[in-house]
Amino acid sequence: MDELLLARLQFGVTTVYHFIFVPVTIGLSLLVALLQTAWVRTGREHYKRATKFWGKLFLINFALGLVTGIVQEFQFGMNWSDYSRFVGDIFGAPLAIEALLAFFLESTFLGIWIFGWGKLPKLVHLGCIWLVAIGTTLSAYFILAANSWMQNPVGYTFNEQAQRAELTSFTDVLTNKVLLWAFPHTISGCLVTGGLLMAAVAAWHLKRQRNLDTMRSSLRLGLAVTLIGTFGFFLSGDQLGKVMTETQPMKMAAAEALYETSQPASFSLFTIGTLDGTAPTFSIEIPDLLSFLATGTLDGEVKGINDLQAQYEAQFGPGDYRPYIPITYWGFRIMVTAGMLIGLVTVVGLWLTRKGRLPTKKWVWTLAIWSVVLPFVGNAFGWIFTEMGRQPWLVFGLLKTEDGVSPTVPGGTVLTSLLVFTALYGILAVVELGLMIRFARKDPPEEPKTPDAAKLEFAY
């Protein structure tokens, strides 16, 4: 059994599964904070009901995201011990800060927020959920700082004797050019995911004419945040693509299946290549668009896969430095297509619900409900493209993937853990989906009546 392949497969499965919950948690934390802010400012009871309703869904995803994230940490030591030794001095700082500062902030104040209803002053209680939202965002920043270092190593020196990278500038790590655009790109995706989830659940209720006051405000808020996130996603993605061209030109070339250096370069809408992935045989292209995406000019040069392969062989020695082209090419396109469809759904949804209107056609609500799948597809393929496009490197230019796997863990052990954890993920997915559907179908909680109000209702 191929230990490297199994270790990569296990980490890939864990990462994609974990990232189902992360964007929902980050997105919903902000949405819940906004709803509670609206309640505190206006005093309108339906905002309070919405806050408690969406707070429950937020808590479910927070718990499951935490559980699946812990599994990733264990894999660093179990399957990737040589990688952990190589990057340990670099990753120690951002991941420690994430755990001790960001996660402590969000988990502590989340507990206070849960048990603080009716016990804390309104503004203090509101501050708790905002600190949770800030904490989840900070967690993303420090984790992305570690990942961005793998894409573009900065602020380090290589210790020849210890054969590992050692930190020289934490500031450089936290201001990595990849991080500065990967962070807003990821957070925008989280806003899209949380917003569209809120809109889809609200659409389910509105389709059945239930909880109109609470769910209509939730629908509008979810769509508005989704639209903002979609703009942020494409704007940051445009800049991230230019940084990627500068730092990882092979990934950009693989994203477009561009085999030969071109100036200007066309953007391929659809490409069919040879079986070994060395050349295209058919392609539908938009002239000059790739040059603009990669360099910001219509006549910019974009290096091709074949030329970069020769360059890397001269720079790093013999080897195959191409990622698996079909995955990078289609992963990139699925991510972008999902984003475009989300933007279309959001604009149409805001238009159909303007000035108090609600659509009367049931198929409109059905499409709105099923649109919730789009951000999860986009998030998953976005991460697959990001990580697969870096191959064969674990740390670009420094450590190959094959050199980071644990040398003493047999393939049978990795296979066993892969099968066990995949089964557990399946069970967790069923449980999480069941809980989400169960709570999403419930009506938002009614406020308990005062004794006098109860007497009046009974007398009436």
Side-chain angles (χ1 to χ4, degrees):
M1 287 178 283
D2 189 339
E3 293 87 352
L4 174 60
L5 177 62
L6 291 171
R8 290 180 63 188
L9 181 60
Q10 183 173 32
F11 201 86
V13 169
T14 303
T15 300
V16 171
Y17 184 75
H18 174 61
F19 207 71
I20 292 174
F21 308 105
V22 170
V24 175
T25 299
I26 296 175
L28 281 184
S29 66
L30 175 63
L31 288 163
V32 172
L34 289 173
L35 285 169
Q36 187 167 348
T37 301
W39 169 61
V40 171
R41 286 179 59 85
T42 66
R44 295 178 182 176
E45 204 61 32
H46 69 274
Y47 284 130
K48 183 178 182 181
R49 295 177 63 207
T51 301
K52 291 187 174 182
F53 177 83
W54 296 108
K56 289 181 180 179
L57 298 182
F58 164 66
L59 292 173
I60 293 171
N61 281 276
F62 181 88
L64 290 174
L66 174 62
V67 171
T68 54
I70 292 174
V71 176
Q72 281 190 303
E73 300 288 344
F74 278 112
Q75 284 187 76
F76 285 131
M78 182 181 71
N79 292 346
W80 301 97
S81 60
D82 280 357
Y83 163 75
S84 299
R85 181 184 58 79
F86 185 88
V87 302
D89 192 65
I90 308 291
F91 279 23
L95 295 184
I97 294 175
E98 188 276 330
L100 297 175
L101 173 63
F103 180 73
F104 179 81
L105 181 70
E106 61 184 288
S107 58
T108 299
F109 284 97
L110 180 59
I112 296 173
W113 183 78
I114 293 170
F115 298 105
W117 282 100
K119 300 179 179 65
L120 295 174
K122 282 186 178 181
L123 288 177
V124 174
H125 191 247
L126 175 62
C128 290
I129 192 61
W130 275 109
L131 287 173
V132 172
I134 292 170
T136 59
T137 305
L138 285 175
S139 287
Y141 189 85
F142 289 114
I143 291 172
L144 285 170
N147 181 268
S148 297
W149 190 85
M150 296 165 62
Q151 315 292 337
N152 179 43
V154 294
Y156 76 97
T157 185
F158 182 70
N159 188 322
E160 292 282 355
Q161 183 175 0
Q163 286 294 298
R164 69 169 190 162
E166 295 181 351
L167 183 66
T168 58
S169 175
F170 190 47
T171 301
D172 287 349
V173 174
L174 294 184
T175 57
N176 191 333
K177 65 177 70 177
V178 174
L179 171 62
L180 295 181
W181 289 110
F183 175 69
H185 192 63
T186 302
I187 295 301
S188 295
C190 294
L191 294 178
V192 167
T193 306
L196 205 55
L197 174 65
M198 177 175 282
V201 174
W204 187 90
H205 286 262
L206 293 172
K207 180 181 180 181
R208 292 159 177 78
Q209 296 292 306
R210 293 169 50 181
N211 311 299
L212 296 183
D213 57 346
T214 302
M215 289 303 166
R216 190 183 186 284
S217 60
S218 295
L219 175 68
R220 294 286 294 179
L221 175 62
L223 290 174
V225 169
T226 301
L227 185 61
I228 294 171
T230 302
F231 276 115
F233 176 82
F234 281 107
L235 290 175
S236 60
D238 175 64
Q239 293 300 316
L240 186 58
K242 293 174 174 57
V243 172
M244 181 174 69
T245 303
E246 179 183 348
T247 59
Q248 297 181 79
M250 179 66 86
K251 184 186 290 188
M252 173 56 81
E256 299 305 326
L258 182 70
Y259 292 87
E260 302 298 334
T261 299
S262 299
Q263 186 180 10
S266 301
F267 181 90
S268 58
L269 294 176
F270 181 81
T271 293
I272 298 176
T274 55
L275 292 178
D276 61 359
T278 58
T281 58
F282 175 78
S283 182
I284 302 174
E285 301 177 337
I286 300 177
D288 305 342
L289 181 56
L290 178 57
S291 288
F292 179 77
L293 294 175
T295 67
T297 63
L298 292 175
D299 60 349
E301 180 185 79
V302 182
K303 291 186 176 181
I305 294 170
N306 295 334
D307 289 336
L308 287 168
Q309 169 65 24
Q311 175 186 326
Y312 288 167
E313 284 184 350
Q315 183 177 355
F316 302 114
D320 188 353
Y321 296 95
R322 300 167 301 173
Y324 186 59
I325 307 302
I327 288 182
T328 54
Y329 181 85
W330 289 111
F332 181 76
R333 271 146 188 77
I334 292 172
M335 175 187 67
V336 173
T337 301
M340 295 176 66
L341 290 175
I342 289 168
L344 176 63
V345 167
T346 304
V347 171
V348 172
L350 287 171
W351 174 257
L352 293 177
T353 58
R354 70 193 186 282
K355 297 181 180 180
R357 295 178 175 89
L358 287 177
T360 57
K361 302 293 185 180
K362 288 189 175 181
W363 64 266
V364 174
W365 295 116
T366 301
L367 287 178
I369 294 168
W370 282 103
S371 67
V372 72
V373 176
L374 293 173
F376 294 98
V377 171
N379 289 333
F381 280 94
W383 271 114
I384 290 172
F385 164 71
T386 298
E387 299 306 300
M388 290 294 291
R390 191 183 63 246
Q391 299 303 315
W393 300 103
L394 261 179
V395 180
F396 184 76
L398 295 179
L399 181 70
K400 288 186 176 181
T401 304
E402 62 187 19
D403 297 325
V405 72
S406 297
T408 58
V409 179
T413 301
V414 182
L415 178 61
T416 300
S417 62
L418 170 62
L419 294 176
V420 170
F421 277 110
T422 302
L424 289 175
Y425 297 152
I427 295 171
L428 279 175
V430 172
V431 171
E432 191 268 347
L433 185 61
L435 288 172
M436 289 287 290
I437 293 175
R438 176 186 175 187
F439 282 102
R441 287 182 172 180
K442 286 186 175 182
D443 295 330
E446 295 283 356
E447 289 302 301
K449 295 181 174 61
T450 63
D452 290 340
K455 289 178 182 179
L456 287 172
E457 184 178 76
F458 179 77
Y460 178 79

